[in-house]
Amino acid sequence: MAALSPELQGKLEELDRELEEGDITQKGYQKRRTQLMSQYGFGDIPELKMGGLRIHSPDDHQDSPQDHRAASLAALNASSESPSSPYPNIESHPASLLAPGGPMAEQRPNIRQRDSLFLSSTPVADASTRSGTMVSGDYAFNPEQQFGYGDQPQQNPYDSRTGTLLDSQAYFSDFAGQSYDPAAPEEYGGPHRYSASDVFSPTAAIAPPMLTTNDLPPPDALQFQMPLEPREVPFAIHDPHDETVPMSNFDNIAAVLRHRGRTSAKLPAYWVLDNKGKEIASITWDKLAMRAEKVAQVIRDKSSLYRGDRVALIYRDSEIIDFAIALLGCFIAGVVAVPINELQDYPKLNLILTSTQAHLALTTDNNLKAFQRDITAQKLNWPKGVEWWKTNEFGSYHPKRKDDIPPLSVPDLAYIEFSRAPTGDLRGVVLSHRTIMHQMACISAIISTAPGNGPADTFNKNLRDKNGRLIGGGASSEILLSYLDARQGIGMILGVLLTVYGGHTTVWLENKAVEVPGLYAHLITKYKPTIMVADYPGLKRAAYNYQADPMATRNFKKGMEPNFQTVKLCLVDTLTVDSEFNELLADRWFRPLRNTRSREVVAPMLCLPEHGGMLISVRDWLGGEERMGCPLKLDLGSDSRPQDEKEKEEEKPTPSNGFSTLLGQGTTTAKQERAKMELSEVLLDREALKTNEVLVVAIGDDVNKRAASEPGTIRIGAFGYPIPDATLAVVDPETGLLASPNSVGEIWVDSPSLSGGFWALPKHTEQIFHARPYKFEPGNPTPTAIEPEFLRTGLLGTIIEGKVYVLGLYEDRIRQKVEWVEDGGAENTEHRYFFVQHIVVSIMKNVPKVFDCSAFDVFVNEEHLPVVVLESQAASTAPTTNGGPPRQLDTALLDSLAERCMDVLLQEHNLRVYCVMITAPNSLPRVLKNGRREIGNMLCRREFDQGTLPCVHVKFAVEHAVLNLPVGIDPVGGIWSPLATVSRGELLAPADKQYSGIDRREVVIDDRTSTPLNNFSSITDLIQWRVARQPEELAFCTIDGRGKEGKGVTWKKFDMKVAAVAVYLKNKVKLRAGDHVVLMYTHSEDFVFAVHACINLGVVVIPLAPMDQNRLSEDVPAFLHLVSEFRVRAVLVNQDVDHLLKMKTVSQHVKQTAQVLKVTIPNTYNTSKPPKQNSGLRDLGITMDPVWIQPGYPVIIWTYWTPDQRRLAVQLGHDTILGMCKVQKETCQMTSSRPVLGCVRSTTGLGFIHTCLMGIYIGTPTYLLSPVEFAQNPASLFLILSRYKIKDTYATPQMLDHAMNLMPGKGFTLHELKNMMISADSRPRVDVFQKVRMHFAATGLDRTAINTVYSHVLNPMIASRSYMCIEPIELWLDPKALRRGLVFVTDQEREPKALLVQDSGMVPVSTQIAIVNPESRELCSEGEYGEIWVDSEACVKGFYGSKDAFDAERFDGRTIEDPSIRYVRTGDLGFLHSVRRPIGPGGALVDMQVLFVLGNIGETFEINGLSHFPMDIEASVERCHRNIVPGGCAIFQAGGLVVVLVEVARKAYLASIVPVIVNAILNEHQIVVDIVAFVNKGDFPRSRLGEKQRGKILAGWVSRKLRTMAQFSIKDNDRETLGAAGTSGGEQASSHGSGLPDDQHRASLGSFRSGSGGPLPGHGGSINNAPRNLEPAPQILEPRQPHQPNQGYDDRTMTMNSMNMAATTMTPNPGPVEMPAEEREINPHDNDRTPTKGHHTQQQQPSRGLGDPSPLHGFELPDFNQFTPQDERGENERLTLGVVNNTSSSRPGTGTGDGGGVGGSMSSQGPPQIRLPGVDGRESLDDWDLRPGSGGSGVGGAGGGGKGDGQEDDDWKADAFMSMNLAGTLGGK
């Protein structure tokens, strides 16, 4: 003790004090002391006297061996960092602090951890000698460093299972570090089985207290059932062959085997039969023992393995004798056997070999050959470092002298059994020899006391013959008949271990033999087994065969009547008892086949296949159940049965003490005997079970009488009492608290017969094998732990009358949340529980054509949703004939199967299924159970989550299952409605309003000349000024891709070049002021000259990018539309473009398209080489007319194209041009000392400003690099930036991506680059900054030089990060708040689904930003977002050519607060956010107000009054499955339906991706989509920059031009709303569908704003203002029979979930109606019109085609041309849906007074409907003829032709376009 550290000394003294003061008991003191010592690496000093033999190890010192669980767990868990302190992190393993007190723990055997590492007790086996073996040389443990030794009282052996884990400590600590990865994703049981519940975790040292210390536990927490105390075996176990030999003489099975070889030499040990019942092998005990000795000898002599090393056993199930020999040989040799049974599962084999570090594998010749064949065929490699031995060639062991058998030296561990958890994880369970011997003793006791059927015999069994043998010898040994797999689990425990232990004979047959009618019965008769080992599937086969044809069994063998008389037990391996079948088996198989005790024979046994196969409960005749401490007689309570039955019950005498019935011969009454002997069964109330309550309706004999008559009940059978010596508890698996007596909980068990843990998984061992249940004590708020530590079985069940009832595995339980409202209005929520077995039974009974099925629940959006998977022949595409074509699936049949399945479960169980998936037979993942493959529901769940189930059909029922869909404040009006706005205002009450300051720079000084630049009225005047002041300085210079400078142009020369072009245009082209000219140039000096020449002539400049040869179909129509709309006079080009336009393909395409569109193509003029001029502009008299510089005069038209090729044209006057230059110069602090670079996007925006204007404005050279050259050699751009020390430049995210993909970020320096402006027109990409920073880190690019610029069509720089000198500000926003219009900053830890956004910078010079509510026009408060309004000199003054009032209003935004400021409305949503950051060398804190852009208001859509940004939903979808193409998702609202289109890279089993997508959206965005459709990879239309063209995708889908591979309807509303067949649509439409009234908040409503325009602010009178009409969401019906004749539309009519908002009545809808050809105004007052009437009237309305820009918030309704069906397949049903629309709001401000547009009128008129593509993806595309203007009769009889409009291009006419971009208009007509 001298060397104790002061810290430890202090703790020990404190402990002594606690003991003296009586704070802890002596027992607790010992435990705590042991723990402390072990933590500090000391053993306790005093040594105890040991009973029995003590093996002295070479390094053994005088300290005691100990078995203290806490210390050893500490040892197991510590990662020993230094020898002196092996437990640095003991605190991190709270379990190691749990003291294992209690009666069981106090009486534990003394074990030597160290023994198992050494072969003998001589010092030969020193660590250094092991270098050549299979495990590393440092394997020899030094016990001082590894374990603490504690005081332990002397104990009797075999008292608990801790031994196993302890003994294997050496291996555990060795391997735990390598094999166990705590971060591995596959935690045991996933998030399910052992939930880390907040209440407290079963693995924590102490449970956290209740909410506060004075909170006492709720009364029901005090109602718990204490663990059942163990029973005892009332006698000692003796050798069945010789009663004088107690089995306690033997320490292990190896010793027993030697005994059997000597004493029962010639008795048979095994008979092995094939599947026809023929004997294929047999062996006697002496042979078995000698062959096992031989295996052991070879291992000892030839393998250089050491004691405790692992050896793999690889045998087939029929090689049971070879397997037994190898297993027993390993036991004798002292190595640990690792049976591996699935030979064909190569990854599993490899995993086991590596994790156990087995370097020797025993197998047979046959297996080895087969294995060699498989490995070669699959091109795999042999497992590394493994030697393979064929034990069948070893022969027998022949000792030289009779007694020359080597002594046994057996390690603690016997074998490691690997099995899969239900989740598919592979884990090895370690079993020690002592565990096995204890198990064997228990099973022997149970078997030996089972009453037999033999005739009574008076002969004394103890009499012996002259050799001392018993005369009745062997009478009590058994014959086992088994067909279970003898290589694992209970099959091995009974078939190998018990056989050896008891000297029994095992007859093993292949399980196929059971299926032959009569064969099984014949074998039972022939071999006369006393014990049958079976499982339900096999017995059912045999019993049902006998029921079907008794004579086949009776006449199986002539002259042999079947006779089962010898059978005394039929052990059935199962997890749940099938009482009905037990009855049938006993009464209609055993009894007729002459077993007199048929009811006592059937014995279901509860084993733990995941935990080593150990038996934990089976019926037995051992007695002693009164010791368990639980009621053995159930009081059924007053209401459950009629009075007279109870009276009869009471007359019976009370039960006796339980011993009189040991052999079933007692004189007790039938009632009492029932309690002990019979297989108990109970009838439970099914509804109560759903809430985990056990309500017994009947028990015993009553069950049979009442089961049939009481439908709401479920019949459950018992196993029996727990095995002797087992402590069993029922625990709530979620909280770890003991369950109350009448509730379902998880069965936890502790027994010395159970394993102590998993191989090399310390964390799981701790959680599962060493779990501590808790209980509440009255008056104490803290739960207390219970002794001993238990094994969590994962089985859910209960204890009734002391017997174990199991309902199923934890994984087999499905949860579902239920909500209801009571009379008082209180809302209640609770979970209901269902068991998969019960669900499967219901489906198999009631749903036809189902081959097999399973169910599981998935946790989505904070609730558990049940999923059913069916296997059906109907889902198989296998050809009907060999080599024939694959079968076509009958979708309607699959659909009806799924629907039937949902209905059955709803009726029988009240289970609301979320989704049903159907696959072909045998295609779902299976798990092996007793050699049979069963569907593994957890494996299904894993594949379901990954989207890899081979599923061909999926059907959802989200309306029922999904409860917690959020609803906004105003579900009808959306987030901008007055109601929602006011509620946000109240929430954010004292907050400031969001608007920025403004820095008005009235004077801008030119740094070269100190002249105020604001004196110049046009850029042209500035050029003249530069020519005058710096004529010989460089103005423009082109640089090629190799970095070579072209011949530069000085200012003077520049003037001449511009003059030359101007003269050419004036004289040759005859251009006049006000003419419109298209400038189509490659990026060059020519372009700059042409721009300034035109400006000088007063000609309106329209710069366009050259046409792309690969995208002519887009570029040519766009060009021609522009030409015709802006009446373009000429097209100016340079040499390159001239050449391009003259190419045959291009010129022909232009010509043909022009003819179709009736557009005259203007002439093309090449300005590359105009006639030379030696004079400047002023000299030639070309001067500016003062009219041209007036504010409204257009100088330049910038045309922007959305990814959908929709054009937005804005006009720039001279004032705007100079304003933009000023903002750019002042914000970026640009001076004439640094040149400017022009590269990409030089036709509009910042690109144009940098290329054509900025160099002139600040008087500095402009270098030009062609984007083509950049694309070929991206490094050229960065070399120029570096060489010319450019300070400010402009870039796009796409060009940077391109550069980073092609070039390394080195070879140049960028430290002079202070401001790289990366433009973003919406929300900035969060990855760009980091990628650029990392890529160019080596070049010295400052991280604060990478700056986002918010660049908008209406202003190229609304906000900028330039010169803010800080990194981007990142915020995590709460998505739930965001949907409600609120900005709530959170972090990823608190909100894992939070949305990451980056700021777009601060306001530039002369710019002010306000965040405004788009409808009320009030400034938004801090904490909400709104529309971004801008007031700046750099804003454009208007859309060019637009006459639309709405467009004009966008440039005249005035807030309620300050109407004097005139803002431009961007149409983008965002918010201002204030931050403080340290800036500059001193790090002074600076307040900054930065802008965050969220996205375009036109793209958002609303569901249930909540607003969603499609880009976020699309990102979720694109992330959710690896087969989804990046950027391959588009989501939109069409007719109130939310449609997701997904581009996928696979064609097979698309149905299995659907739930993954639906779940991802539901989980992250809380919405349920209506339709998921798939298109093939490459079918999404994309722009030249690779952006998906949303409008085209939508239009293509609606018009069926986009070829979908498959389409799935998610919300199956026709289940809800369609009445019985024959109900007219009208009746249904105005009434609620079933279940809708209560579910209004569940199914998504198409919100008022998104689905329908509604009253416009300021124009309330034009629409019924009283109640708001809700646009009902239309349904999509799947065609049931593909070829049914048109039967009218009685039951197929689409009805709406019309929520009857106050007094709104829906007009009956007589039939689906086609969409009008073009959207038109509809008179909103005409409420009595049917949709059909409305349709006719619409045709006479004035046309509002695409050209009329009337979009709400900047985007338009699509133009649907009349779709003319060509019924090629006779499919007369037209799937229909309402207006396709992505609108988000009625117009801001005052609107136009014509009544809400189409959307608004829809709500009062019937829903307009268009035909959708077939939901199952079967129909071809030629159903649609999209000829412009083609007429066609609508399905409901509505005719009407679309009106052709010659000015619109065919493509545009046919496609229903929807802009999801900013400004929403095309130029007006």
Side-chain angles (χ1 to χ4, degrees), residues 73-74 77-79 89-98:
L73 270 170
N77 290 328
S79 49
N89 58 349
I90 192 80
E91 286 304 320
S92 64
H93 297 286
S96 57
L97 305 177
L98 292 176

Side-chain angles (χ1 to χ4, degrees), residues 1-4 8-9 12 29-30 33-34 36-38 40-49 54 61-66 144 147-152:
M1 280 299 228
L4 293 187
L8 175 60
Q9 194 82 51
L12 287 173
Y29 169 80
Q30 291 290 4
R33 180 182 163 86
T34 305
L36 277 172
M37 299 301 273
S38 66
Y40 286 82
F42 286 88
D44 247 359
I45 304 306
E47 188 194 333
L48 293 167
K49 291 189 170 59
R54 182 146 183 234
H61 301 303
Q62 292 303 309
D63 32 19
S64 87
Q66 61 91 36
E144 265 87 41
F147 297 88
Y149 294 104
D151 306 337
Q152 275 280 328

Side-chain angles (χ1 to χ4, degrees), residues 319-385:
E319 297 169 334
I320 175 173
I321 294 176
D322 285 306
F323 173 77
I325 288 164
L327 181 74
L328 296 164
C330 288
F331 289 174
I332 296 169
V335 290
V336 178
V338 183
I340 303 178
N341 304 330
E342 290 175 60
L343 290 75
Q344 63 285 8
D345 189 345
Y346 184 78
K348 173 180 172 182
L349 174 81
N350 236 342
L351 178 68
I352 296 177
L353 291 172
T354 1
S355 71
T356 57
Q357 295 195 350
H359 295 273
L360 172 61
L362 305 180
T363 182
T364 59
D365 194 28
N366 278 343
N367 280 337
L368 211 53
K369 283 179 184 153
F371 197 51
Q372 171 78 61
R373 212 172 35 241
D374 293 350
I375 279 188
T376 318
Q378 295 172 36
K379 298 191 171 58
L380 299 167
N381 295 323
W382 278 89
K384 288 192 175 60

Side-chain angles (χ1 to χ4, degrees), residues 274-277 509-517 519-520 523:
D274 66 7
N275 54 13
K276 297 190 177 64
L509 59 150
E510 286 191 32
N511 60 19
K512 295 264 188 329
V514 183
E515 296 172 12
V516 180
L519 176 56
Y520 194 32
L523 297 174

Side-chain angles (χ1 to χ4, degrees), residues 1379-1410:
R1379 275 169 231 152
R1380 298 175 184 274
L1382 294 164
V1383 174
F1384 178 64
V1385 179
T1386 175
D1387 57 62
Q1388 244 196 321
E1389 279 65 49
R1390 270 186 301 176
E1391 176 52 75
K1393 295 175 195 143
L1395 174 69
L1396 177 63
V1397 289
Q1398 263 180 13
D1399 73 303
S1400 293
M1402 296 163 64
V1403 287
V1405 171
S1406 299
T1407 303
Q1408 181 170 14
I1409 290 177

